[in-house]
């Protein structure tokens, strides 16, 4: 039986879609991709370039009291239901992905962090400083870190 890997991503994006499709095509693992949302409000065009040649699903109904977030129980149920050997988290800054990280840490499930960030973002200076201080600390809690693409590795 092939090992199962669950990818939790915020929304479909063409640059991730190509990678996910290639991993699924190779057939070494059973790849499950679960998107938290159908599209990014600021970039609705992202999902139009996706092929979805892999097991994918969009979680449409967040149950959290905070709009746009999925609660700890819901994300934990998803991870437990899929019975995966590893969870790959894309977009660590989202509340739901932080809940997934906590769920996995509490249960000893290996976690891979996919670092996918804008190099020249227009974030306020305090957010950039906070991220630069927090990322090395958070990074030590993951089993591995994956930086897809040349720009991601440079970042």
């Amino acid at each position: 039986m092939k090992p199962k890997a669950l990818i939790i991503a915020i929304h479909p994006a063409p640059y991730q879609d190509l990678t996910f499709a290639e991993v699924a095509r190779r057939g070494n693992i059973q790849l499950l991709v679960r998107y938290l949302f159908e599209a990014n409000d600021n970039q609705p065009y992202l999902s139009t370039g996706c092929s979805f040649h892999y097991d994918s699903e969009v979680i449409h109904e967040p149950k959290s009291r905070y709009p746009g977030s999925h609660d700890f129980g819901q994300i934990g149920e998803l991870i437990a239901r899929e019975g995966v050997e590893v969870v790959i988290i894309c977009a660590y800054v989202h509340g739901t992905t932080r809940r997934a990280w906590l769920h996995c840490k509490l249960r000893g499930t290996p976690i891979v962090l996919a670092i996918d960030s804008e190099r020249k973002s227009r974030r306020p200076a305090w957010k950039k400083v906070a991220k630069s201080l927090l990322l090395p600390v958070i990074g030590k809690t993951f089993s591995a870190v994956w930086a897809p693409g040349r720009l991601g590795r440079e970042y």
Side-chain angles (χ1 to χ4, degrees), residues 11-15 38-52 118:
H11 55 77
Y15 64 93
E38 202 161 351
N40 179 339
D41 292 338
N42 300 326
Q43 300 165 313
Y45 59 85
L46 284 175
S47 63
T48 60
C50 295
S51 65
F52 302 107
E118 298 174 20

Side-chain angles (χ1 to χ4, degrees), residues 3 25 34-35 66 68 71 75 83 90-91 98 103-104 109-111 114 116 121 133 136 138 145-147 149-150:
R25 185 195 67 76
R34 300 300 177 253
Y35 295 107
Y66 304 107
D71 66 27
I75 200 67
C90 302
R98 288 192 301 261
H103 175 88
C104 292
T109 304
I111 312 161
D116 169 12
S121 69
L133 296 173
I138 292 173
V145 175
W146 170 43
R150 181 179 54 81

Side-chain angles (χ1 to χ4, degrees), residues 34-37 57-62 70 74-75 78:
R34 300 300 177 253
Y35 295 107
L36 304 180
F37 304 101
E57 181 182 328
V58 177
I59 303 170
H60 284 286
E61 300 177 20
H70 303 75
Q74 183 182 18
I75 200 67
L78 169 70

Side-chain angles (χ1 to χ4, degrees), residues 102-116:
L102 180 60
H103 175 88
C104 292
K105 288 308 294 177
L106 292 173
R107 285 155 185 82
T109 304
I111 312 161
V112 174
L113 172 64
I115 295 181
D116 169 12

